[in-house]
Amino acid sequence: MRTKVDVCIAFYGKPYQAIVTIKTLMKYSGQHIDKIYLSRERKQPHDDYVGIFKIIDYFRNDPTVKLVVQYPHHHLGLGVIDIERAKVDERWRQSIMYQYALEKSDKKYLCIMHNDMLYHADMIGDMLNVFEK
C-alpha cells in the first residue's frame, strides 16, 4: 500500500473556495490522503465566523473526506518570535499556523496549503514519487 499523507489547510474566509480546494484535491489526490486538518484562523475577514460550518456541513456525509477542525485559542498573526513560550504553552504554540497539524499528524508527510487552491492533477502523488525514490 502506498504512503498516506495528511493535509493541513489554513482557513481564512472564503468557504466556497475552500470547498473547491478540498473537492479538487480529493478528486486528483484523494487516494493518498488520510486526514485533512482544517485550521480556522482565530480572526476571520468580515467577521464571518460561521463560514467554517459551510465546509463542515458540505463534507459531513462524504466518507472520503476526514476533516479535523481546529480552532486556535490565540490569534498570533505572522512573525511569532516567543520561542520560550512555545516550548511550554501548548495552546499558544498550537495557535501558530499549521503547528497543530504538525504535532497531531501521525503521517510521515504533511501537505500544507492555503484554502483557495484549484487542482488539475495529482500533485500529492507526484510529490510522493519524488520523496520516496
Side-chain angles (χ1 to χ4, degrees):
M1 175 148 163
R2 224 149 157 208
T3 300
K4 291 278 190 177
V5 303
D6 285 340
V7 173
C8 184
I9 300 173
F11 178 70
Y12 181 69
K14 304 177 275 191
Y16 298 111
Q17 287 90 330
I19 290 169
V20 170
T21 295
I22 295 168
K23 287 286 289 182
T24 59
L25 176 67
M26 294 305 291
K27 177 179 179 180
Y28 293 104
S29 296
Q31 69 273 22
H32 309 293
I33 297 171
D34 183 25
K35 293 181 290 302
I36 298 175
Y37 290 88
L38 191 60
S39 183
R40 193 209 75 189
E41 293 188 33
R42 186 133 175 103
K43 292 187 179 178
Q44 289 290 302
H46 314 294
D47 294 325
D48 180 12
Y49 293 96
V50 297
I52 189 83
F53 296 107
K54 293 173 184 169
I55 301 166
I56 294 167
D57 287 343
Y58 186 89
F59 291 106
R60 180 177 311 277
N61 295 315
D62 186 338
T64 66
V65 177
K66 294 184 222 168
L67 283 180
V68 177
V69 180
Q70 183 228 1
Y71 302 92
H73 187 74
H74 302 281
H75 175 72
L76 300 179
L78 300 174
V80 176
I81 58 172
D82 193 344
I83 294 169
E84 294 308 311
R85 183 172 181 186
K87 291 177 183 178
V88 296
D89 186 341
E90 181 179 64
R91 287 196 320 183
W92 188 86
R93 182 182 65 250
Q94 289 181 353
S95 295
I96 298 169
M97 189 180 302
Y98 304 114
Q99 186 65 32
Y100 180 83
L102 284 166
E103 291 184 27
K104 297 298 182 181
S105 176
D106 61 352
K107 303 298 178 285
K108 183 177 180 179
Y109 301 112
L110 177 68
C111 182
I112 294 175
M113 63 185 62
H114 207 261
N115 67 320
D116 57 1
M117 309 284 290
L118 181 63
Y119 295 93
H120 300 278
D122 183 9
M123 176 196 75
I124 292 178
D126 290 345
M127 287 192 300
L128 286 173
N129 288 336
V130 172
F131 295 160
E132 296 189 338
K133 282 186 178 180

